[in-house]
Amino acid sequence: MPRPVPTVTAGAPRSGPEVVAARIVTTPPGPTAAVGVVRAPGEGTGAGDDGASGGATTAPGRATGRVTLAADGVWEVSVHPDATATGTATDTATGTAVDTAWRTAGADLVRRLSDLVSHHPVRAKRHLVQVEVPADAPLGGIRRFVVGLTVGGHGAAVGTRATAPAVRDVHLDTSRTRLADADVAAAVADGQVTGSATALARDIVNAPTATASPAWVAGVARDRAAGIPGVKVKVRDADWMCRKGLTGVLAAAAGTSRPPVLLEMVWDPEKAAASAGSSGDDGNPASPGDGAGTVGSLGRDRATVVLVGEGVTAGGAGSVPAGAAPWAGEEARRCAVAGAAAVIAAVDALARLGARRKVVALVPLVDLTAVPAGAVPGAADVPVVTGADTGGATAGASAGGGVAAPPGSTGVTVCGGAVGPVDGDPVRVYGGTVVDTAGCAAAGAAGRARLLLADAVGYGVHKYRPSRVVTVGCLSPDTAVALGDRTGAVVTRSRGQAQRVTRRAARAGERWWPLPVPTYLDAATASPTADVSLCPEGPGVLVAAAVLRRFAGDTPAVHLDLGGATTSRECREDTDPLGTGFGARSLVEWLR
């Protein structure tokens, strides 16, 4: 992990017996476009005399209806001619330009040819897929096509198909275009980085529960960022969180099987520029026409942004109560860690693209799988013991270590202070704010997720003084119920900010719908026994956003609720079944 993606290059055409020939055509697909084309024995493929994959068929659930085999033995993928001018099409529902044609073409082609290559009789043979790019292809279209090539077919590894060979090398023949070679190379590099962000997010979301411990997810982020100038990754353990007062994370993790961690990942362009100045090379691809530039000083609109991702790595099925959303179980678990995956992948991509703003990722990671009956986590794992073992609550807990639980409470002691069972008893989080957890048990893992995010938001605002704080996760089933499985919610009081996110994300092919945070909901977050009510009644996702705003203070806050878009049950556009990696590209396009 993470799983590799195809390597894409561009330039003059190549030749050789290992080349699988393909081309992009700007003819809309007809009603008889083949799905899962079956080659007759001996039919040419452009792969040489060995006739790769005679008789290969498309795997179930993999959409390849736009890919056909032409009479000359070249695979053709269609792009609607309306998309050739700008590389985008208009979504009539939102009125924004949503990239679909070029990304989908790239994804369809790589899926079909992966099936072709995987059935080659010499399984170790390494093919080169060469795609002829039409003369009227726009630079943005090429970039999006590369994104599709990178993410198409990149789903969960299941059974023996994990070892099947796939397309590893793709070369774009751009000899017919009038585009400068340097611009094309930059567009290809940009598309690879952006597509790899989605692939990385999918890998994290699709990891099995037994693998995806908090420490494992943090390790993936740390290993991925290793060697990138300007990136610093720190993995904070429970003892560190005790000392710093992030007791909300520890209270949420109390009684669970694996210790929590806080991932702190910082991309600092000024430090990257200093490093590049000493080496004479910034090491980052340019991004033609998309707003990224040379790594350097922060501009007026490039102040620090803090991203906080919900990271419930296991036990997150409770984040979607039974019957409240179109799914439950494993799909809900993937949703509960999708915020963490999107934030980690986005910061990694922003660093590789040389984004000019400082971006901080704070990802509290917990496994909410309960400890088996009779087992208690030791101090070496989580600094938490049951209230029964301590003889009751400790009165007068310090500001950094929880709040005294009422007599008779079955709560836990965190860092020397008694904390209730996250359902009614108060919990003191970072900065000394006391939260009322009444109603959180009914909210399932989503209730504990609010504790995680509240702690991280307070810590991030205090330490980094950002211009904006963005929370990312699945805090209510309402989003999936209202918006379905292809659209997320942008929850903010700033109409301009909502429009900016929606439009920029549409360029990445991800759909969002703005939702308000009415001021009257502020009253719902008040509590007679604490500073903030963590799980009050009201419209779920709006109330959750209103609650998290309380911990941001005067810093503008935006919540991106991923909802049903984190999981797909079918193959569509550039997504494959199971985790979609939704949100990662949106963050990259917004913050680059």
Side-chain angles (χ1 to χ4, degrees), residues 24-44:
I24 303 170
V25 295
T26 55
T27 302
T32 59
V35 178
V37 177
V38 179
R39 277 187 65 250
E43 193 173 353

Side-chain angles (χ1 to χ4, degrees), residues 280-382:
D281 181 13
D282 65 16
N284 292 293
S287 306
D290 281 273
T294 304
V295 175
S297 300
L298 302 182
R300 180 181 302 176
D301 299 326
R302 299 288 176 175
T304 301
V305 174
V306 168
L307 305 177
V308 181
E310 176 193 359
V312 179
T313 65
S319 63
V320 182
W327 57 74
E330 277 298 293
E331 291 171 314
R333 182 196 67 80
R334 285 190 287 270
C335 191
V337 75
V343 166
I344 291 169
V347 174
D348 176 81
L350 288 167
R352 294 173 187 273
L353 292 171
R356 289 181 292 166
R357 76 172 83 230
K358 182 177 180 179
V359 184
V360 178
L362 296 174
V363 184
L365 294 159
V366 299
D367 178 341
L368 295 186
T369 305
V371 175
V376 177
D381 298 322
V382 185

